[in-house]
Amino acid sequence: MADVTVVAADVRPLGGCIIRRFTAGEALTFGIPVYLSAANTVSKADGSAVATACCIGVVVAGALGNSSVASGEECDVVVFGPVAGYSTNMAFGSKFYVDDDAGIIADAAGTKSTIIGVGLSGAVLLVNPQYVGLA
């Protein structure tokens, strides 16, 4: 299993994205997968357990314009659409999954299989969460 490298400074939503604003349940960086951890709150997705593997999207911005998001701050999450800002191990047509390490995107499924999306190029991920094997 290979992890995808995120270049947080380059993460940005591309045209056609559906974006929703949430409150960060912990410190978050741009480009990482998140799950709903409480009402309108997101935390780093983690493929090792059912509750944390249900990725809803990828963090792309903070409401305060900072380079990361602190716990309790608002953040924007792409729930569907293309997101740029990835490098190592991103490939066109490949599926990408929630890793067993929190907040990591990998080219193979974690213990509980959740697809985050599909590579559109070496730097762009089409976010389209799908729950494959959560049982």
Side-chain angles (χ1 to χ4, degrees):
M1 177 181 324
D3 295 344
V4 172
T5 302
V6 178
V7 183
D10 294 339
V11 171
R12 66 189 183 288
L14 301 177
C17 283
I18 298 172
I19 300 172
R20 172 105 195 273
R21 184 158 284 177
F22 295 93
T23 300
E26 63 183 307
L28 303 171
T29 56
F30 301 156
I32 66 166
V34 292
Y35 75 101
L36 283 173
S37 54
N40 203 42
T41 302
V42 292
S43 296
K44 296 173 189 171
D46 177 346
S48 64
V50 172
T52 59
C54 292
C55 174
I56 62 156
V58 172
V59 178
V60 293
L64 300 178
N66 298 332
S67 59
S68 63
V69 181
S71 181
E73 291 180 355
E74 291 187 325
C75 61
D76 291 340
V77 175
V78 169
V79 295
F80 179 81
V83 175
Y86 300 95
S87 63
T88 310
N89 298 319
M90 180 63 65
F92 170 77
S94 295
K95 293 177 185 166
F96 293 93
Y97 301 83
V98 173
D99 191 77
D100 279 353
D101 294 322
I104 302 295
I105 297 172
D107 64 358
T111 303
K112 304 299 179 185
S113 183
T114 302
I115 296 171
I116 299 169
V118 176
L120 292 181
S121 71
V124 178
L125 175 69
L126 175 62
V127 175
N128 185 16
Q130 301 171 39
Y131 312 119
V132 180
L134 295 179

